Amino acid sequence: MRSDMVKKGLEKAPHRSLFKAMGYTDEELYRPLIGIVNAHNEIVPGHIHLDTIARAVKDGVRMAGGTPVEFPVIGVCDGIAMNHEGMKYSLASRELIADSIEIMAMAHAFDGLVMIPNCDKIIPGMLMAAARLNLPAIFISGGPMMAGTFQGRKAALSDIFEGIGAVKAGKMTEADLKEMETTICPGCGSCAGMFTANSMNCLTEVMGLALPGNGTVPAVAAARVRLAKKTGMKLMELLEKEIRPSRIMTGKAFRNCIAADMALGCSTNTVLHLPAIAGEAGLELSLDLFNEISEKVPQLCKLSPAGPHFVEDLDRAGGVSALLHRLLESGLIDGDLPTVTGQTLAENIAGHPVLDDNVIRRVEDPYSHTGGLSILRGSLAPDGAVVKKGAVDPAMMVHRGPARVFNSEEEICAALEAGDIHKGDVVVIRYEGPKGGPGMREMLTPTAMVAGLGLDKKVALITDGRFSGATRGASIGHVSPEAAEAGPIALVEDGDLISIDIPAGRLDLVVAEDILEKRRKGWQPQPPRVKKGYLQRYSRLVTSASTGAAFSGK
């Protein structure tokens, strides 16, 4: 066992004494040491209950003959971090999470790892660590939050962000907003729509690194605790059979993930995370692959914020297994891939048909004959940009309008507050990219305000930053190269025409090249916004959004 290097032999007597100082017995030290990587904290609703999940996992490990050893990792709540300096740290935390798991696993010689994430950057950070370390590993998330309610209808976190704009537009009272504030998030779990957290938890299941049900079984269900126990037991089987992530995280598995992503209509953030995870596995995912698969895979689900259903509805309809069953029947995924169950993906999903065609549509009757995400290229985004086209109103799929340019999220929010954004505008928010932000903030507040003001079918937003998985409308993010790297987005001026053609995959700045060249010669980089601490180091190391915004030199 790998852990023998910290517990076996005469020279390891000091090491054993330290274990015994924590109460471990000789019998426990004789068994494999399994790291339980727990993202529990008391600031993220998706993580508040992970202590319960961890206890169940440890029970499973012990039942199967292992010794569980729990250690923590950090986690940012994107909702609480939204619309202030804190959001600069969200994406940046992904690399820190991966690094900290590497440190703990290598320093203490664990034999295997059970990863317990639930929210946005924690899941991909753990997946990156699993690929990098290549120790036997398995995932169990905390599960999705149940949908909230507001005035007799189901609702989720995105609704209250939009409610702010509705109050400002006189469409909702402050008393209504207060009522929504109390009912919109009814309890623990990752926010109830197909936002980034639930997108990544579902894709971890598709990847084959989690047991069926990981992505959709509700956080409050007893079935979630049972799944955690089974996950702990299954890790011991992976250890015995020496099944490692490198066997599962193959190019074909990533293609399956992208196919499921398109069918589910996942968050645009998956286009950042999947390439970064693939990079740790020694693979390369180009943005063009997303479009290639999107052309073949229809969008079968419209979950909040794109549609009326929530992750609990997806679970009731058969979950990720049912969706994959439908895709496999149509030859849209590869079913012969290994998974942590010890069976192939096809074997896992056999006997799991769709139980509600309204939630998971038939392939011949999709919401869209192409996938829920689209990569755009053009003179404004030579290296690519991404849009959740499944959440764009048909009226905005093709749009041309004058640019309204803002150099930060704060500037656009102030303009929206002042009523200074109008029908037809193309809002450009720049210097919010991985380096320029730094940290590539999510722009849920401005997009939600636009929706709340009733402008989501009339105004487009474009940024070198990110948009939340809870965003809907013509919101185009990840514009690359970013403004801080002298990308074309840095050259846009108020009034310039911008052309958006989502069906054609185009995003263009309609300005003559000689004018752009003159602007390029006069362009000066902005001073760094952060001059010390982790974000300063992050801004020096991070790469383009087009390659996953991972650190350079990996």
Side-chain angles (χ1 to χ4, degrees), residues 252-444:
K252 290 180 178 180
F254 279 97
R255 291 183 71 96
N256 277 356
C257 284
I258 297 172
D261 188 332
M262 296 303 168
L264 285 167
C266 288
S267 164
T268 53
N269 283 315
T270 61
V271 182
L272 278 177
H273 298 321
L274 289 176
I277 297 161
E280 293 286 0
L283 304 168
E284 182 178 343
L285 290 188
S286 74
L287 294 186
D288 293 331
L289 182 60
F290 285 82
N291 268 353
E292 175 192 322
I293 294 174
S294 179
E295 287 301 311
K296 300 174 184 176
V297 180
Q299 184 175 356
L300 304 183
C301 301
K302 272 212 171 183
L303 306 174
S304 174
H309 301 127
F310 297 85
V311 180
E312 65 193 65
D313 300 313
L314 178 61
D315 188 64
R316 176 178 51 79
V320 172
S321 289
L323 175 83
L324 294 176
H325 190 276
R326 184 149 279 179
L327 294 177
L328 184 62
E329 283 181 326
S330 297
L332 295 172
I333 59 169
D334 189 334
D336 294 330
L337 305 184
T339 72
V340 289
T341 67
Q343 297 182 304
T344 66
L345 186 67
E347 289 170 332
N348 287 348
I349 63 181
H352 289 279
V354 173
L355 304 178
D356 188 338
D357 287 336
N358 292 317
V359 178
I360 307 174
R361 286 196 172 183
R362 292 176 289 112
V363 170
E364 56 271 23
D365 181 34
Y367 285 102
S368 168
H369 289 284
T370 55
L373 298 180
S374 185
I375 305 301
L376 310 181
R377 293 185 187 272
S379 60
L380 187 55
D383 293 344
V386 62
V387 63
K388 190 172 185 175
K389 69 178 180 183
V392 178
D393 187 89
M396 292 298 294
M397 295 293 280
V398 177
H399 180 74
R400 178 179 284 214
R404 296 293 311 282
V405 182
F406 302 91
N407 288 335
S408 70
E409 180 183 8
E410 287 78 6
E411 288 184 15
I412 174 59
C413 287
L416 286 164
E417 290 263 7
D420 196 27
I421 301 299
H422 307 289
K423 176 181 176 181
D425 285 347
V426 178
V427 173
V428 175
I429 314 166
R430 64 190 180 191
Y431 295 103
E432 288 286 4
K435 289 183 179 294
M440 207 178 180
R441 287 193 287 184
E442 286 188 343
M443 305 288 166
L444 178 56

Side-chain angles (χ1 to χ4, degrees), residues 136-271:
I138 192 169
F139 284 67
I140 172 66
S141 77
M145 185 185 292
M146 301 298 288
T149 57
F150 177 65
Q151 296 182 347
R153 65 177 177 85
K154 284 185 175 182
L157 184 68
S158 55
D159 292 272
I160 194 164
F161 274 94
E162 293 181 11
I164 297 167
V167 170
K168 295 182 184 300
K171 299 177 181 179
M172 179 186 288
T173 67
E174 289 192 36
D176 287 337
L177 192 66
K178 184 69 174 178
E179 177 191 342
M180 183 184 282
E181 176 186 317
T182 306
T183 61
I184 202 77
C185 295
C188 65
S190 47
C191 297
M194 190 49 71
F195 312 149
T196 306
N198 289 324
S199 296
M200 291 307 304
N201 280 327
C202 287
L203 296 187
T204 303
E205 184 177 335
V206 176
M207 178 75 71
L209 284 171
L211 298 180
N214 177 71
T216 63
V217 172
V220 295
R224 174 63 56 179
V225 176
R226 294 195 297 271
L227 189 65
K229 291 179 180 177
K230 290 178 181 177
T231 297
M233 296 173 71
K234 184 60 67 173
L235 188 279
M236 298 307 296
E237 185 179 317
L238 297 177
L239 185 62
E240 180 184 349
K241 296 180 178 179
E242 295 191 351
I243 298 175
R244 298 173 184 268
S246 57
R247 181 173 165 188
I248 295 170
M249 301 173 82
T250 63
K252 290 180 178 180
F254 279 97
R255 291 183 71 96
N256 277 356
C257 284
I258 297 172
D261 188 332
M262 296 303 168
L264 285 167
C266 288
S267 164
T268 53
N269 283 315
T270 61
V271 182

